[in-house]
Amino acid sequence: MRSHDTGCDVHADVIVIGGGHAGIEAAVAAARLGCNTLLMTMNLDVIGQMSCNPAIGGPAKSQLTREIDALGGVMGECADASYLQMKTLNRSKGPAVWALRAQSDKAEYRRVARRVVEAEPNLRLRQAMAVEILQDSRTRAILGVRDQLGIAYHAPALVITAGTFLNGKLWVGETCVGGGRPGESAATGLTGCLTALGLRSGRLKTGTPPRLDGRTIDYAGLEVHPGDETLRFFSFLPDRPHRAQLPCHLTRTNADTHRLIRENLHRSPMVAGLIDSCGPRYCPSIEDKVVRFADKDSHHLFIEPEGRDTYEVYLQGFSTCLPYEIQVAMARTLPGLSRVHILRPAAAVEYDYFPACQLTPALMAKDAPGLFLAGQINGTSGYEEAAAQGLLAGINAARFAGGQESLILSRGSSYIGSLIDDLVTREILEPYRMLTSRSEYRLLLRQDNADLRLTPLSRDIGLASSLRWEVFTARRERLEAERRRLETTLLAPDDHQRASDRLAEACGERFSEKTTLAQLLKRPAVTLAHLAALDAGCAALCDEYPDVAETLETEIRYSGYIERQQVEIRRLENAGRVAIPDDLDYATIAQLSNEARDKLGRLRPVDLAQAARITGVTPADISVLQIILAKRAQLLAAKP
């Protein structure tokens, strides 16, 4: 542990810059791992701010949030403590894509996040803007930062989670002002420091919809979308709060909306050429939707509450950067919004980012030991993606400061592993969003089993609390005991004809020979709820431990597919464990294709598996590398 402030200078083990979702996870993780941690942010009042959509979770994002919680992060706890509505999406599909989503009270989320940060004894806060990175000129190691007042902050590990603030610009129509998000100034200075360290930067764009006065909306004719009757939560910890839920409402664009957009496209800063950076493909503006999907007569829009104590609402799906007066006219064409008042106009945000292919899988800069980047600075979009990176960066910053090896998550272990592997092996040219389709092991990496996959790892590295471990072991033991019981409990139709009749009545299935409850559960039409009518143990499980019942049912029903994915993961991990030395000179390997030499030289993969996932590196290139590495290993082994 390093000393505290000495004079004007400040000393720490880990410094985190930025108080958004990535910065919170990074700072809390480093502090809980025993590091004297300093969190610097330009405005302490907006720690945990939901800059855009007031929601956590959704497809792929709920898996990330559950994994963050399983590893000992805090996003799930904050979401559970501040929800307005909980809803599981994709229930009509398979469990691999079930996704919990929380509509959040954004002000309460911010308050909860601030309490979590302030409760950490090893974590200090400082309102300041970092403008200079301090580095050892000989070793290139990070020494700390300096703020706009000239105060130096010393630490061997630095995590930058600057979000959209680096040289940020806000656009509403042709009007541009500096800012990282509406109402907040941009961060200047760090981009130049990072490029001076040798990192390559780019520009990206994101956007946000208008916020509306809910009192000026006529909800009478709008479709109501309530929350789930049976509540589920993000955190695996117990005693989640049960609160009254608020509904969302559905409206939609129409021909008048689309006509207004087409007539005013020339006033968009994107069309006018004032913005040349790339926006998010999977969260397009409303004008992008109208142009790209010209065959669509209408687009769904959700009216979502922003809090219990405010009439401000969020118009999901209506992101735009058209001028304010056009936004008002567009909004008033929507059903229920003919008299709507806009509280905050929609805006586009343009900002600097640093492609994460310049980082190791630990999220540390390859050429600046001790420097970690996490969140939108790496080219991603979304609170959950940012928090996942922040958590891993915070863990690895703490381990770096303590002289320990980095923690690397594989694609087969988690969505977080897939996310980071994508970032460090691909050149991000547009804001990256995590999707279930990006994980080839999504049946194995479900939201319900994140604790089974990751909490033991969290315990091993010292992040899981005693309470979390106690809750986890109790759940795991209950799951294993129930699985054994289902696999050994026999039903005999000769003795239980009535049971067979009840099952047939419930789902159309009968059994005519001795069978176990687990064998019955593997039938497509049979669920644990059906078996509850036949077996008191199943009834008690569904009633008292629905989370265990959900995991158990999925693992038994899809056991064959899950086992095949596990075999595939082991095969690929064994095949890819051939490490590639960092000093391998790809330019001298003539047998590689020109594209492979270029990309391998710039991205410098850590092993063959990572090299094989780089776009443009062919199987033939991998074969060449295998031969080169084998010969190199033989030469090293032959040396006395």
Side-chain angles (χ1 to χ4, degrees), residues 2 7 21 77 100 115 130 143 166 178 232 255 268 285 302 325 344 361 400-401 456 463 490 521 524 572 592:
R2 290 175 175 261
H21 303 283
E77 295 177 60
L100 182 62
R115 286 200 299 269
L143 301 178
L166 295 184
R232 290 175 171 81
S268 164
S285 67
F302 283 95
E325 65 273 16
R344 307 175 199 245
F400 179 87
L463 194 53
L490 280 168
L521 191 55
L572 290 175
L592 292 173

Side-chain angles (χ1 to χ4, degrees), residues 25 32 67-77 391 463 468:
E25 297 292 350
R32 288 180 176 176
E67 290 178 354
I68 290 166
D69 183 77
L71 280 169
V74 301
M75 172 171 271
E77 295 177 60
L391 177 61
L463 194 53
R468 182 175 296 279

Side-chain angles (χ1 to χ4, degrees), residues 51-52 205-209 211 279-280 283 285 314 319-321 346-349 351:
S51 308
C52 195
K205 178 196 84 78
T206 189
T208 186
R211 277 36 165 215
C283 190
S285 67
Y314 180 92
S319 173
T320 182
C321 54
V349 185
Y351 57 94

Side-chain angles (χ1 to χ4, degrees), residues 21 48-59 61 75 84 89 101-106 109 206-211 248 283 302-306 313-319 382-384 433:
H21 303 283
Q49 176 76 306
M50 290 180 153
S51 308
C52 195
N53 195 354
I56 297 293
K61 295 171 178 286
M75 172 171 271
L84 299 173
L89 309 180
R101 183 180 185 271
Q103 190 69 34
S104 299
D105 184 322
K106 63 190 303 182
Y109 186 100
T206 189
T208 186
R211 277 36 165 215
C248 297
C283 190
F302 283 95
I303 300 171
E304 302 174 335
E306 292 224 326
V313 298
Y314 180 92
L315 189 57
Q316 187 198 101
F318 208 68
S319 173
Y383 310 143
E384 301 84 355
R433 177 179 178 177

Side-chain angles (χ1 to χ4, degrees), residues 553-632:
E553 182 174 325
T554 300
E555 292 192 349
I556 290 177
R557 175 167 293 180
Y558 297 96
S559 58
Y561 297 100
I562 290 172
E563 287 169 9
R564 283 202 288 272
Q565 284 203 347
Q566 289 171 332
V567 169
E568 178 67 9
I569 288 171
R570 288 193 293 270
R571 185 185 67 80
L572 290 175
E573 287 182 348
N574 289 336
R577 280 179 182 155
V578 179
I580 300 178
D582 189 56
D583 61 352
L584 185 63
D585 188 357
Y586 297 99
T588 63
I589 306 176
Q591 299 91 333
L592 292 173
S593 66
N594 290 334
E595 184 177 7
R597 281 199 299 272
D598 173 59
K599 289 194 172 180
L600 290 168
R602 284 190 290 109
L603 302 181
R604 284 155 43 200
V606 297
D607 56 34
L608 278 180
Q610 190 184 27
R613 291 190 293 270
I614 295 174
T615 305
V617 176
T618 67
D621 295 319
I622 296 300
S623 296
V624 169
L625 282 179
Q626 285 178 312
I627 294 170
I628 295 291
L629 293 173
K631 288 182 177 178
R632 182 179 174 126

